[in-house]
Amino acid sequence: MALTIGERVQRFLLVLVPRLFLALFRLVSPGTKRPKHLPPIRNPLLTLSAVQLAEKIRRREVTSVEVVQAYIDRIQEVNPLLNALVKDRFSSAIQEAARADKLIEEENGGEEVLRNQYPLLGVPLSVKESFALQGMPNSGGLKSRSKVLASVDAPPVALLKRAGAIPLGVTNTSELCMWMESNNHLYGITSNPYDLERMCGGSSGGEGSIIGGGASVIGIGSDIGGSIRMPCFFNGIFGHKPSKDVVSNDGQFPSCTGLQNDYSGSGPICRYAEDLLPLLKIMAGPTADKLSLSEEVDLKKLSFFTVVDDGGSPLTSPVDNQLIQAQKRVAARLEADLGVTVKEVSFPQLKYSFLIWDTFLALPDKDGKPPKPFVELMADGGSVWPFWELIKRIFGRSEHTVAAIGLALMESSHSSKPSQFILKQKEELQKEMENLLGTDGVLLYPSHPLLAPKHHHPLFTPYNIGYTGILNILGLPVTQCPLGLSKERLPLGVQVVAGKLQDHLPLAVALYLEKAFGGWVDPGVA
């Protein structure tokens, strides 16, 4: 069943109107006189992975206090430019670091005991503000929740703290964690460390920015449409969206309703690939047994595939040629180094990625209960009328961002019945993708069609989220990997996808790609 004439007209308008507004925005958008880049990293402790830092701390080659203070100094240096960390707990972090150092001094069982009990002992950590971190704000960027403090830790945060990690504070998100740029009227807008005039992504954008800026080494994010992978791509770092039901999504605001828990994934964000697997294992806790994280991966025995774009959807931007070429270089390097063949494939259903994602996020759960309307989340127990908020926004009086108001307006126009055509496209894509990947397949797919855009640009290209969102609906594990910088000195990258519960495969590929293409690049010397 093809799209109806009405659906085709709607798609045409969805493309035309945002592009007209984008052209106008570019004409009237003012420039900025602030610096465009961050200062370079000077303290060598900031260039070590979490795994390396934990090892040095256990061996007493450096104290946790020294490491935590180094990161506090870096945050104080760059955060005024980035606006990534929105609330710190520096005093508590130093005290916890001192306790970690004392524990190491008093431990008689040696390094191995500490490694097994506290694999991240003394290592600093940043946390997305939407995750509950005891004593810290937990607003999800909603102004009406400005005084809400978390009374307990979200499960994955608690597991990281139990492993010895020391939170430095919480980082910015988009309003209600449902937009591609981390911007809200409670904390403001967060910038990209490679170009402060550009966006850091969302909704885990504060995490991406602070880690990419060298002011945190590891962090935690959530991803229902690309909210880990987009920030990691735009900020030149690694991130992993795990398989379904591996890491708990509890303890977050907003919480998942309807079928959203099936598509959302909480996972690690870091600068160094070797931190991904141990972080995921800790965050998963007892459910890590679902994955084969201890299994060694022989990359030469894997089947590799590459998809260059979504097949030319009229809703999305064309993939930047530099990203296409970077993905081709990955395929060529894999073939040269491993002796494998990287087969180019295509899926016609990918043209409907955004529509599939948008449709499935709105479906009811198994009991027939629909997800909580976005406008109700905005209201937070009160009442919000999107059209009235839009008028207020024009005069600068609304507490909500243009993106949130737009999402509420779009939601009100949704059909009560999902398109059978779109449901069929998803079913066919799911079957074809799972048959292709099996238990030993790895797929390369663009992270986003554009390099890190200028601030507010996603308002005019909202459907580009289809490149990441479709993989949430399919429930596949995905690792975002940096691939060096573009001619504009902006991060390049690629998504590495595997079959369900095969998270160890893209994590192994991430280690390979870091060695082959250099991994994260200090934005201060980029």
Side-chain angles (χ1 to χ4, degrees):
M1 177 182 174
L3 292 176
T4 66
I5 294 176
E7 288 173 326
R8 290 176 182 173
V9 170
Q10 184 182 38
R11 285 177 61 191
F12 174 75
L13 292 175
L14 288 173
V15 173
L16 179 62
V17 173
R19 288 180 181 176
L20 288 175
F21 277 110
L22 176 58
L24 179 63
F25 176 77
R26 285 172 171 166
L27 285 175
V28 302
S29 180
T32 177
K33 294 184 179 180
R34 67 174 181 165
K36 287 190 68 174
H37 306 288
L38 298 187
I41 289 174
R42 298 178 183 87
N43 190 327
L45 287 176
L46 303 180
T47 63
L48 300 176
S49 70
V51 169
Q52 292 171 323
L53 286 172
E55 194 74 15
K56 284 184 172 292
I57 292 169
R58 283 193 297 270
R59 292 178 176 176
R60 306 184 194 184
E61 295 174 10
V62 65
T63 66
S64 175
V65 168
E66 288 174 312
V67 173
V68 168
Q69 188 61 57
Y71 272 98
I72 291 173
D73 292 343
R74 178 65 175 174
I75 290 171
Q76 291 175 331
E77 179 181 36
V78 303
N79 199 56
L81 297 171
L82 296 175
N83 188 37
L85 195 87
V86 293
K87 181 66 175 179
D88 72 71
R89 56 186 305 279
F90 293 160
S91 178
S92 297
I94 288 292
Q95 293 174 18
E96 290 161 13
R99 287 198 291 270
D101 291 330
K102 186 177 180 181
L103 178 62
I104 292 169
E105 287 178 12
E106 296 175 349
E107 176 55 55
N108 296 319
E111 288 178 37
E112 195 60 32
V113 172
L114 289 170
R115 182 184 292 108
N116 291 334
Q117 291 186 351
Y118 309 105
L120 292 177
L121 185 59
V123 176
L125 162 79
S126 51
V127 177
K128 184 179 182 179
E129 198 259 18
S130 59
F131 283 83
L133 172 59
Q134 188 174 34
M136 288 284 103
N138 184 220
S139 69
L142 199 61
K143 201 168 184 180
S144 62
R145 287 175 59 91
S146 62
K147 292 181 169 52
V148 174
L149 300 180
S151 58
V152 296
D153 294 322
V157 174
L159 289 167
L160 288 167
K161 289 172 67 175
R162 196 178 303 163
I166 298 174
L168 298 175
V170 292
T171 55
N172 205 16
T173 72
S174 51
E175 184 176 348
L176 291 166
C177 298
M178 280 299 288
W179 191 242
M180 288 180 278
E181 179 161 25
S182 293
N183 179 31
N184 56 71
H185 292 322
L186 178 57
Y187 301 122
I189 196 166
T190 301
S191 294
N192 188 301
Y194 291 87
D195 183 343
L196 299 174
E197 294 181 359
R198 294 179 182 267
M199 54 179 271
C200 64
S203 62
S204 311
E207 283 296 286
S209 178
I210 203 75
I211 295 173
S216 177
V217 63
I218 54 174
I220 177 172
S222 55
D223 187 317
I224 199 170
S227 290
I228 287 175
R229 288 159 290 150
M230 273 188 286
C232 289
F233 166 52
F234 293 146
N235 296 284
I237 56 178
F238 293 90
H240 182 72
K241 182 198 81 66
S243 294
K244 173 187 168 185
D245 296 332
V246 172
V247 178
S248 172
N249 290 321
D250 294 341
Q252 297 182 53
F253 178 81
S255 58
C256 294
T257 55
L259 282 179
Q260 292 169 359
N261 197 59
D262 288 353
Y263 312 129
S264 184
S266 301
I269 298 175
C270 46
R271 268 186 283 142
Y272 301 102
E274 72 170 331
D275 292 333
L276 286 169
L277 191 147
L279 280 173
L280 177 60
K281 191 172 184 178
I282 292 167
M283 290 169 65
T287 58
D289 292 341
K290 291 184 176 183
L291 309 177
S292 305
L293 297 180
S294 299
E295 182 179 309
E296 282 197 31
V297 178
D298 185 349
L299 297 181
K300 295 180 180 180
K301 294 181 179 179
L302 300 184
S303 299
F304 287 92
F305 307 95
T306 183
V307 176
V308 296
D309 59 28
D310 64 3
S313 167
L315 293 176
T316 57
S317 304
V319 178
D320 188 289
N321 186 57
Q322 293 184 84
L323 293 172
I324 293 174
Q325 295 307 314
Q327 192 165 319
K328 287 183 177 179
R329 287 194 294 273
V330 171
R333 188 70 180 265
L334 286 166
E335 292 181 336
D337 289 353
L338 306 178
V340 299
T341 298
V342 181
K343 183 179 179 182
E344 184 172 323
V345 295
S346 63
F347 299 93
Q349 303 90 348
L350 287 174
K351 287 189 293 186
Y352 308 102
S353 289
F354 174 83
L355 299 174
I356 293 171
W357 178 78
D358 190 50
T359 296
F360 275 76
L361 281 193
L363 293 180
D365 62 20
K366 61 182 180 180
D367 297 321
K369 189 175 181 180
K372 189 171 185 178
F374 188 76
V375 70
E376 288 187 19
L377 293 172
M378 290 174 66
D380 191 35
S383 57
V384 167
W385 293 273
F387 281 108
W388 177 235
E389 290 300 323
L390 182 60
I391 294 171
K392 288 165 64 178
R393 180 74 255 141
I394 293 171
F395 295 98
R397 302 300 298 272
S398 176
E399 293 188 347
H400 302 285
T401 58
V402 173
I405 296 168
L407 287 170
L409 290 170
M410 286 180 63
E411 181 183 65
S412 66
S413 67
H414 279 174
S415 171
S416 58
K417 291 185 178 181
S419 164
Q420 293 301 309
F421 174 75
I422 294 300
L423 296 179
K424 183 180 179 183
Q425 296 305 305
K426 186 268 182 183
E427 182 182 342
E428 292 177 351
L429 178 60
Q430 185 93 56
K431 186 180 299 183
E432 290 182 22
M433 190 77 80
E434 290 181 0
N435 287 340
L436 180 78
L437 294 175
T439 59
D440 65 351
V442 170
L443 174 73
L444 306 175
Y445 192 53
S447 311
H448 195 78
L450 304 175
L451 302 173
K454 294 288 185 75
H455 285 305
H456 309 298
H457 189 282
L459 292 171
F460 314 105
T461 55
Y463 311 106
N464 287 343
I465 197 174
Y467 271 86
T468 46
I470 188 62
L471 298 170
N472 293 80
I473 303 304
L474 297 177
L476 303 176
V478 194
T479 305
Q480 166 58 43
C481 301
L483 298 173
L485 303 181
S486 71
K487 63 183 180 183
E488 301 91 349
R489 312 302 289 168
L490 297 172
L492 301 168
V494 68
Q495 294 184 94
V496 183
V497 189
K500 291 180 179 179
L501 301 179
Q502 306 304 314
D503 298 54
H504 60 300
L505 301 185
L507 295 178
V509 174
L511 285 167
Y512 165 81
L513 292 178
E514 182 178 47
K515 292 178 182 177
F517 292 90
W520 169 79
V521 179
D522 180 356
V525 297

